[in-house]
């Protein structure tokens, strides 16, 4: 193998494997090699495009080799696109250690990570089942001195990581993350809420909907206990369709939940994930809702 040539490997094995020559990442690598063979020196833009193709395909080894090739040549040092694409490639394969290394290398090279870089690293922790690390990045982004603030992708993936871990001891952490997202107006903007007694969960991933439900009920408990308002029925708008849990942020620890509707899932959350079971109903006149009656709230 000539110097600078990239070894094409299986996504999960170190041995070489015949690649699919029709895939974009393979074609991009071949073009890069052809440029070198023809005496054309690829620039940083060329490398970043090839690494992006590898990133989309989850070809983390090839992406990391390209990054190291760039770092060894001061004329084509990797840029933020190269680093973020390589982190994304590692994330897709659950290689969170390598993703962390790339993130650190990027900072050491004097490149400030942007929101996409941070979200890519969190996604690596999500796929790699590292909730504490994902929460640490969330806290770093929320720090008052941080130049980068979280967005809806950030909070969705952090909550998804916590949910995916199946660690009940992290529920309070999930509550903290959700509350911070509300304070930052990422979720549940006050100008879109008609009442604390009704919450629209439709369109949310299961982990976000679960955190929203907990947030709503604990807020209602505080309001009722303080005497600000009397208890009323609480309505969660869920819709009636089943949701396909298609990525790690939507993958629950309970595999039996696959193909479950959000409506059914919220009833399960209410029954099983509070200090006392909260039983709910589905009104015949509004089948896309889950209602917790006032009497049930009083008992809770």
């Amino acid at each position: 193998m000539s110097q600078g040539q990239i070894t094409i490997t299986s996504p999960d094995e170190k041995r070489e494997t015949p690649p699919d020559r029709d895939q974009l990442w393979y074609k991009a690598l071949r073009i890069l090699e052809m440029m070198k063979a023809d005496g054309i020196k690829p620039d940083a833009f060329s490398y970043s495009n090839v690494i992006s193709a590898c990133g989309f395909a989850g070809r983390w080894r090839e992406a990391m080799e390209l990054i190291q090739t760039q770092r060894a040549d001061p004329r084509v040092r990797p840029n933020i696109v190269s680093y973020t694409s390589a982190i994304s490639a590692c994330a897709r394969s659950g290689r969170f250690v390598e993703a962390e290394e790339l993130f650190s290398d990027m900072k050491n090279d004097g490149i400030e990570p942007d929101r996409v870089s941070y979200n890519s690293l969190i996604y690596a922790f999500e796929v790699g089942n590292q909730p504490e690390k994902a929460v640490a990045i969330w806290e770093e982004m929320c720090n008052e001195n941080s130049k980068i603030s979280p967005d809806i992708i950030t909070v969705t993936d952090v909550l998804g990581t916590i949910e995916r871990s199946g660690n009940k001891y992290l529920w309070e952490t999930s509550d903290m993350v959700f509350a911070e997202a509300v304070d930052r107006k990422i979720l549940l903007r006050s100008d879109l809420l008609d009442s604390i007694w009704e919450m629209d969960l439709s369109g949310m991933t299961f982990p976000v909907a679960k955190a929203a439900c907990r947030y709503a009920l604990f807020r209602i408990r505080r309001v009722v206990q303080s005497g600000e308002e009397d208890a009323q029925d609480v309505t969660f708008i869920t819709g009636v369709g089943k949701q396909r849990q298609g990525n790690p942020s939507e993958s629950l620890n309970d595999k039996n939940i696959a193909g479950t509707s959000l409506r059914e899932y919220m009833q399960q959350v209410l029954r099983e994930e509070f200090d006392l079971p909260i039983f709910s109903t589905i009104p015949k006149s509004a089948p896309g809702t889950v209602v917790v009656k006032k009497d049930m709230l009083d008992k809770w």
Side-chain angles (χ1 to χ4, degrees):
M1 183 175 66
S2 62
Q3 185 176 4
Q5 186 175 358
I6 305 302
T7 304
I8 299 174
T9 59
S10 165
D12 54 2
E13 297 289 344
K14 290 186 177 180
R15 68 178 185 274
E16 294 189 2
T17 186
D20 183 345
R21 296 172 182 270
D22 291 329
Q23 291 193 33
L24 181 60
W25 69 268
Y26 179 83
K27 292 180 179 180
L29 279 175
R30 295 280 66 83
I31 291 173
L32 194 67
E33 296 301 330
M34 289 168 58
M35 291 175 67
K36 295 176 183 178
D38 291 342
I40 302 173
K41 294 182 178 179
D43 58 15
F45 184 74
S46 304
Y47 276 101
S48 65
N49 280 335
V50 177
I51 294 172
S52 292
C54 291
F56 281 116
R59 303 296 298 198
W60 65 274
R61 289 192 179 90
E62 289 84 355
M64 290 194 71
E65 286 188 41
L66 287 167
I67 287 286
Q68 296 309 315
T69 299
Q70 284 191 271
R71 295 190 79 201
D73 187 344
R75 297 169 300 178
V76 291
R77 299 287 289 181
N79 55 29
I80 192 169
V81 175
S82 298
Y83 270 119
T84 301
S85 296
I87 292 170
S88 178
C90 293
R92 290 172 186 271
S93 300
R95 309 297 299 196
F96 65 90
V97 173
E98 289 81 358
E100 278 187 291
E101 291 174 355
L102 287 166
F103 195 79
S104 178
D105 288 344
M106 178 167 58
K107 288 183 174 181
N108 291 336
D109 284 351
I111 299 174
E112 288 287 338
D114 60 10
R115 185 181 290 113
V116 178
S117 306
Y118 274 102
N119 285 346
S120 296
L121 181 60
I122 289 173
Y123 185 70
F125 294 145
E126 183 175 6
V127 178
N129 195 20
Q130 300 293 313
E132 291 86 357
K133 289 180 179 289
V135 171
I137 294 298
W138 167 267
E139 291 174 345
E140 180 180 330
M141 295 177 74
C142 292
N143 187 287
E144 61 181 10
N145 297 320
S146 175
K147 297 179 181 178
I148 305 298
S149 59
D151 62 3
I152 186 62
I153 295 174
T154 316
V155 67
T156 298
D157 283 350
V158 172
L159 291 174
T161 306
I162 294 172
E163 178 68 23
R164 192 175 192 226
S165 73
N167 187 345
K168 294 184 178 181
Y169 296 104
L170 290 175
W171 283 356
E172 289 186 4
T173 302
S174 180
D175 294 340
M176 176 272 294
V177 169
F178 190 91
E180 178 71 29
V182 173
D183 289 344
R184 289 174 171 269
K185 297 180 172 56
I186 301 173
L187 293 167
L188 304 185
R189 284 171 41 193
S190 58
D191 57 327
L192 299 179
L193 293 176
D194 295 329
S195 164
I196 67 170
W197 305 102
E198 181 177 279
M199 178 174 287
D200 189 352
L201 306 178
S202 60
M204 293 182 181
T205 63
F206 282 7
V208 175
K210 172 182 171 180
C213 174
R214 287 175 59 85
Y215 177 87
L217 290 178
F218 285 127
R219 180 177 59 169
I220 286 170
R221 174 188 273 178
R222 290 192 299 270
V223 168
V224 172
Q225 288 179 345
S226 68
E228 296 177 47
E229 295 191 36
D230 294 329
Q232 303 177 30
D233 293 352
V234 180
T235 300
F236 295 103
I237 302 170
T238 60
V240 296
K242 294 183 178 180
Q243 296 189 6
R244 178 179 177 270
Q245 302 296 298
N247 59 59
S249 66
E250 298 175 317
S251 298
L252 302 178
N253 189 55
D254 183 0
K255 299 303 181 184
N256 294 326
I257 223 71
T260 300
S261 70
L262 179 59
R263 180 184 64 181
E264 294 167 343
Y265 174 66
M266 291 316 302
Q267 287 196 294
Q268 178 180 326
V269 166
L270 290 165
R271 288 193 308 269
E272 299 177 1
E273 304 202 13
F274 289 88
D275 46 3
L276 292 174
I278 300 175
F279 296 99
S280 59
T281 62
I282 299 174
K284 291 183 179 179
S285 59
T289 63
V290 172
V291 176
V292 179
K293 294 292 188 179
K294 172 185 175 298
D295 293 345
M296 186 71 246
L297 280 181
D298 289 336
K299 294 177 184 178
W300 181 59

